[in-house]
Amino acid sequence: MAKQVGKYEDAELCKLLLEISLLDSAYQRSATTRDDVLTDAAKRYRVDAEKLQKDVAKEFAAKRDKKTKAKSKPRKKTTA
């Protein structure tokens, strides 16, 4: 695992550590409730999960549209 960690940038490692700590605290606090762990953590840290969900959905839709447009372009035939 130490070899893999050396390949990542500092910003990505910080993000990973933050996510791990958020998940750990969420699992510890919501052990007694049946709520969604990630939603519970997002509420506790004042993260607008619905806005993030919409943004991610738009991003994936844009990527999907870009891929389908690239695949649907007709290829030019060259004649000799």
Side-chain angles (χ1 to χ4, degrees):
M1 186 164 175
K3 290 179 183 178
Q4 288 291 86
V5 170
K7 295 179 182 178
Y8 299 119
E9 294 180 14
D10 290 342
E12 292 297 319
L13 289 174
C14 290
K15 192 164 90 171
L16 177 66
L17 291 173
L18 178 64
E19 289 175 1
I20 290 170
S21 64
L22 288 175
L23 284 174
D24 182 51
S25 67
Y27 278 115
Q28 289 177 5
R29 288 193 180 189
S30 67
T32 59
T33 64
R34 301 296 290 167
D35 294 337
D36 184 24
V37 176
L38 295 176
T39 305
D40 188 34
K43 286 178 186 176
R44 185 170 40 261
Y45 290 98
R46 295 183 182 101
V47 174
D48 190 358
E50 291 178 11
K51 181 183 176 202
L52 287 174
Q53 181 183 12
K54 290 176 184 176
D55 291 344
V56 169
K58 286 180 186 177
E59 185 178 326
F60 278 116
K63 286 181 182 178
R64 183 184 61 232
D65 290 344
K66 185 177 178 181
K67 284 183 180 179
T68 56
K69 286 181 183 179
K71 288 182 180 180
S72 65
K73 286 184 180 179
R75 295 183 180 174
K76 294 181 180 179
K77 293 183 180 179
T78 58
T79 57

